[in-house]
Amino acid sequence: MSDSIIGAGAIGSGPKRIDGQRKVTGAAPYAADHHPDNVAYGYGVFSTIASGTVAGLDLDAARQSPGVIDIFHHEHFPELHRSPSSMAQGNKVEETRLPFEDNKVYYEGQFVALVVADTFENARAAARKVGVNYKSDQAIANLDQGVTAHGTQKGQGNHERGDAAGNFDGAAHSIDVTYTTPVETHNPMEMHASVASWEGDRLTIFESSQGVVQQQGALAKIFGIPPEHIRVESPFIGSGFGAKLWMWPHAVAASAAAREIGRPVQLVVPRQQMFTTTGHRPETCQRMRLATDENGKLVSLRHESINTTSFTDQYVETCGSVTKSLYSCPNLTVSHETTQVNRGTPTSMRAPGAAPGLFALESAIDEMALEAGVDPLEFRMNNYAERDESLDLDFSSNHIREATERAAEKFGWHDRNPDVGSMRDGHEIIGYGMAACNWEALKRECEARVSLRADGTAYVTCATQDIGTGTYTIIAQTVSDLTGLPIEKITVRLGDTSYPKGPISGGSWTTATTLPAVAAATRKAIEELKGYATSGKGDFADAASDSLTFENGQLTHDGQSVDYVDVLKGQKLASADGHAHTQGADSQYSYRSFGAHFVEVRWDPGISNLRVSRVVSAIDVGRVINSMTARNQVEGAIVMGLGMAHFEATEYDARNGRPVNNNYAEYVVPVHADQPPEVDVILLDYPDLEFNEFGARGIGEIGITGMAAAVANAVYHATGKRIRDLPIFKEKLMENIPAVQSA
């Protein structure tokens, strides 16, 4: 496919990523690729206990190690201020405690010292010579221990309507079941890194960040300097999955160390500590109580969840965020609680709340359907909500029924034999499962600047980020759509706080937030261009600017057309520029994205092998801006959902809270051999014009929601084993395996 897409054909097409060549050739600079003159290197010393205090440090051997410049710790670190951690103020962090703030240890892998040396190797070698004496306390190692020791704390996002408890007792059909999900760790390819340097009281930091504007605001509060004195740059990111939305202690430590020693400092977080000090998806326990009438209509639904959080900050995994509105039910209760454990502060991980929440909800919906004697597909179709009953608002756009029907037809659901273990192919038992998927659609404030240049190119800037999802490309598509310029003549620059303010790259709101601002800035640049053309020196001096049209790079009036480049060059002008500021979404409607997953699993009891062999997903995310990157996002989310279902769990020693598989060898994720041979993604492509002018909602997260439940439901259909505790290790299926029958 040619990337020379012009004009109206740009939106909805599938051009290749404009940043792709730089990435695959190694030309794209990531955070740790920056090595300023005279840069020093930091390496952390991390706690080896999960709870207690640092009683003393033995630094003599480390100080005598080659190349050591300084060693920072709780008795040798500048006095800083905490960030208010307000997203609205633009200074959110997840772990509000500052590095080396005191001698307390809240989790294993916490920074207790930082060695700075002339080379990375020297810093690492010296850090390993630092001796730390601890006064250890009994650690709270998991959710059950937290509830037993400290109880729970109320979280936000709760909802109640009707009388769920009163309508549960005496209902025709009911279930009362509990589901659990483990800690998951993001593990993006690129490790967290900071490269900080100061010029006077001005800080520049190259960071692997999904939110440079928020980091700028947080650093300003922490160091007590104006935000405009701080520049955060993150033009390329090796993914983040939410771990890089907010700043973590290493960035503060690197910035403070650089100021103290008077030279730049680079600090990269080791892979093992990315399991401890840069967030994770927390452990959850979710109790589901559902009831229906004799016709299988929901009459009561209670979704009560508890998640682990740290002793320094409360993070709430809003597992019931989807439950409130996906199904119609007059009597519903959603509650969220947290319990404190000795782990680092959790954070958002792809589809926070919804990913673990829909595992519980969609597994319970399946169980409820079977209890009521209704096909799981039919049950969902009979109970999908027509409007958002939690907000008492209409949906701006909702095509979940069509998505479910189309995916079911493509998958062949109606050929399914509902009896457990009844479908076979040779030695393999086949299971079919399905689940709905759902995610909120959000739009925030945004600014952008667009310049139409006299050399025939366009230049676009915005302080949002591209975390590998294709933001660079869809912004170029937007400008191409409005100007007619070929995409290869459009330069997009992102991830720099010197640009107009942009949103974080998370929550699936970057597309819906950024494109309207870019479009508005482009139109302003065109209006400025028209003003030049109708001025006394212009080609259309006698015309009103609003009588001119602009298409395919040309201004036209009364049949006469002039290339915009000639307009600028004729007046010796460098560019026509536009700057725009757009607002977030209104509250007239409930804005959400919808879809459905259908999964085929195959279980060979003879060799205890479980695999996902086929996935069909139909997704309703409004208008599809780039068909290639959109499909890629859903496919990637499906694979990540399979990881959640089958493989991923960060494990902790129940005796001491120590993570035991915090490495990329023992923390298992799907590899190529685990991919289903068939993955079919259907994009409905119904523009949601109530949401924004492009009709586009986000697509990055919805694909993971519901996937684990679809797998679990398929596993039950194949094996008769209802796995309510993720992940679905094959060991959980190996008890009481029936004898293998010949085909």
Side-chain angles (χ1 to χ4, degrees):
M1 177 182 293
S2 171
D3 290 343
S4 297
I5 298 171
I6 298 175
I11 296 294
S13 61
K16 297 176 182 177
R17 298 167 188 259
I18 64 173
D19 54 328
Q21 184 175 5
R22 295 186 70 190
K23 288 182 174 180
V24 300
T25 59
Y30 293 84
D33 292 330
H34 294 276
H35 301 276
D37 291 343
N38 201 33
V39 65
Y41 296 84
Y43 199 91
V45 178
F46 301 96
S47 64
T48 57
I49 64 168
S51 179
T53 56
V54 175
L57 292 165
D58 182 355
L59 305 176
D60 291 342
R63 284 176 175 148
Q64 295 170 18
S65 191
V68 170
I69 299 168
D70 208 339
I71 302 175
F72 297 97
H73 49 86
H74 68 276
E75 293 180 341
H76 174 51
F77 197 70
E79 185 175 346
L80 302 173
H81 313 278
R82 287 190 175 189
S83 172
S85 189
S86 165
M87 187 172 175
Q89 293 179 15
N91 53 44
K92 181 170 173 56
V93 296
E94 208 72 272
E95 186 170 317
T96 54
R97 179 185 179 274
L98 297 169
F100 318 124
E101 187 176 84
D102 51 41
N103 69 335
K104 294 180 180 178
V105 175
Y106 294 97
Y107 56 91
E108 179 157 327
Q110 175 183 312
F111 276 93
V112 294
L114 176 69
V115 175
V116 181
D118 59 347
T119 68
F120 171 81
E121 292 78 10
N122 283 340
R124 181 176 59 182
R128 291 173 175 173
K129 296 177 182 178
V130 173
V132 185
N133 297 316
Y134 298 99
K135 181 181 181 299
S136 182
D137 297 327
Q138 180 59 49
I140 306 299
N142 54 44
L143 187 147
D144 288 342
Q145 291 182 15
V147 172
T148 300
H150 300 291
T152 61
Q153 303 81 44
K154 184 178 180 180
Q156 76 267 13
N158 301 325
H159 175 76
E160 187 167 0
R161 61 178 182 264
D163 181 4
N167 284 275
F168 182 84
D169 297 329
H173 306 285
S174 63
I175 62 168
D176 183 348
V177 289
T178 299
Y179 303 89
T180 67
T181 63
V183 168
E184 292 179 77
T185 303
H186 304 76
N187 273 316
M189 182 181 298
E190 179 201 19
M191 294 185 290
H192 290 253
S194 303
V195 182
S197 60
W198 292 82
E199 291 187 12
D201 66 345
R202 293 181 178 272
L203 168 65
T204 297
I205 182 167
F206 295 98
E207 182 74 30
S208 184
S209 172
Q210 294 177 239
V212 295
V213 173
Q214 291 283 333
Q215 179 160 341
Q216 178 192 44
L219 286 169
K221 290 292 187 180
I222 289 168
F223 285 95
I225 58 178
E228 56 268 24
H229 285 199
I230 299 171
R231 183 177 182 182
V232 184
E233 297 185 61
S234 188
F236 295 98
I237 308 166
S239 194
F241 305 122
K244 298 173 183 176
L245 285 170
W246 322 114
M247 182 176 67
W248 293 100
H250 67 273
V252 180
S255 300
R259 190 172 67 172
E260 291 300 299
I261 70 170
R263 58 192 283 190
V265 169
Q266 180 184 108
L267 176 57
V268 178
V269 179
R271 178 67 65 180
Q272 285 186 305
Q273 275 63 53
M274 285 174 60
F275 285 78
T276 63
T277 188
T278 59
H280 56 269
R281 196 195 300 278
E283 181 182 356
T284 76
C285 179
Q286 303 175 60
R287 185 180 182 186
M288 306 294 302
R289 284 178 278 186
L290 284 69
T292 71
D293 61 20
E294 62 277 1
N295 297 316
K297 292 286 289 184
L298 286 166
V299 296
S300 176
L301 200 167
R302 279 179 283 180
H303 188 167
E304 299 155 309
S305 68
I306 304 171
N307 72 262
T308 51
T309 192
S310 70
F311 278 98
T312 60
D313 303 273
Q314 186 187 39
Y315 173 85
V316 180
E317 186 81 5
T318 52
C319 295
S321 58
V322 171
T323 306
K324 296 183 290 188
S325 60
L326 181 56
Y327 293 101
S328 178
C329 185
N331 306 292
L332 183 145
T333 297
V334 166
S335 68
H336 303 107
E337 296 179 333
T338 62
T339 190
Q340 293 175 313
V341 298
N342 288 112
R343 297 172 186 163
T345 303
T347 193
S348 299
M349 185 172 175
R350 199 173 197 169
L358 269 173
F359 164 65
L361 176 63
E362 285 301 289
S363 295
I365 287 290
D366 228 61
E367 294 199 54
M368 187 72 258
L370 297 178
E371 179 69 22
V374 181
D375 177 85
L377 171 59
E378 180 184 349
F379 186 90
R380 288 175 172 84
M381 296 293 280
N382 290 340
N383 283 283
Y384 282 144
E386 297 291 340
R387 64 195 311 272
D388 189 333
E389 296 172 7
S390 69
L391 298 175
D392 194 23
L393 291 173
D394 292 331
F395 292 114
S396 59
S397 177
N398 180 353
H399 298 275
I400 192 170
R401 295 180 186 278
E402 180 182 343
T404 304
E405 289 171 348
R406 288 180 61 179
E409 181 67 25
K410 182 75 174 179
F411 183 79
W413 178 267
H414 300 294
D415 297 328
R416 165 183 177 268
N417 185 330
D419 294 337
V420 168
S422 61
M423 299 172 63
R424 289 177 174 267
D425 181 9
H427 291 297
E428 292 183 313
I429 305 173
I430 299 171
Y432 282 4
M434 69 159 297
C437 50
N438 192 236
W439 182 249
E440 59 190 338
L442 298 170
K443 180 161 69 83
R444 303 294 188 184
E445 287 186 73
C446 185
E447 296 180 43
R449 183 179 295 113
V450 174
S451 295
L452 301 177
R453 295 180 161 182
D455 61 0
T457 65
Y459 191 84
V460 190
T461 54
C462 178
T464 190
Q465 305 74 211
D466 187 330
I467 59 173
T469 54
T471 306
Y472 277 110
T473 305
I474 62 172
I475 287 177
Q477 287 177 253
T478 302
V479 176
S480 176
D481 188 72
L482 293 171
T483 64
L485 291 178
I487 285 179
E488 60 265 26
K489 288 193 174 183
I490 300 168
T491 298
V492 181
R493 293 286 182 261
L494 306 174
D496 187 331
T497 54
S498 67
Y499 302 153
K501 286 187 177 181
I504 62 171
S505 296
S508 295
W509 65 51
T510 307
T511 297
T513 297
T514 307
L515 296 197
V518 171
T522 303
R523 293 189 184 103
K524 286 189 175 184
I526 292 171
E527 288 305 309
E528 185 169 288
L529 184 68
K530 289 179 179 179
Y532 294 148
T534 55
S535 68
K537 299 179 182 180
D539 295 86
F540 304 106
D542 297 328
S545 62
D546 59 5
S547 68
L548 274 63
T549 61
F550 185 78
E551 293 181 356
N552 297 326
Q554 293 188 323
L555 289 167
T556 301
H557 178 71
D558 286 344
Q560 178 187 355
S561 296
V562 177
D563 194 288
Y564 89 90
V565 171
D566 295 331
V567 172
L568 294 173
K569 287 184 175 180
Q571 299 184 42
K572 300 185 182 302
L573 297 172
S575 62
D577 305 295
H579 184 282
H581 180 185
T582 51
Q583 300 297 321
D586 59 39
S587 57
Q588 291 182 325
Y589 295 93
S590 173
Y591 303 102
R592 303 194 72 86
S593 291
F594 303 87
H597 297 301
F598 288 78
V599 168
E600 176 185 289
V601 303
R602 291 180 174 241
W603 167 243
D604 186 339
I607 60 173
S608 299
N609 184 57
L610 177 68
R611 64 189 180 97
V612 175
S613 52
R614 194 159 56 97
V615 176
V616 176
S617 300
I619 308 294
D620 168 30
V621 290
R623 189 181 189 185
V624 174
I625 301 299
N626 184 307
S627 57
M628 181 183 295
T629 57
R631 191 173 304 278
N632 175 258
Q633 281 293 291
V634 178
E635 291 169 346
I638 287 170
V639 173
M640 199 166 179
L642 296 180
M644 180 181 186
H646 277 313
F647 302 106
E648 296 189 47
T650 303
E651 300 173 5
Y652 298 83
D653 191 324
R655 300 168 299 176
N656 52 34
R658 173 171 293 175
V660 296
N661 66 334
N662 56 327
N663 57 74
Y664 219 25
E666 296 171 289
Y667 182 88
V668 183
V669 298
V671 297
H672 289 296
D674 301 307
Q675 309 308 308
E678 299 178 46
V679 176
D680 197 332
V681 175
I682 302 168
L683 301 174
L684 268 59
D685 204 15
Y686 287 108
D688 185 354
L689 297 176
E690 299 292 349
F691 189 49
N692 58 53
E693 65 174 287
F694 294 92
R697 302 192 296 266
I699 200 169
E701 280 155 301
I702 187 171
I704 193 176
T705 69
M707 179 53 60
V711 173
N713 294 336
V715 167
Y716 172 79
H717 181 228
T719 69
K721 291 182 179 292
R722 180 65 69 176
I723 307 301
R724 300 191 182 102
D725 307 298
L726 291 182
I728 307 172
F729 291 144
K730 63 179 66 177
E731 289 84 353
K732 297 178 182 180
L733 304 176
M734 291 170 62
E735 298 176 2
N736 303 318
I737 295 176
V740 178
Q741 300 177 10
S742 60

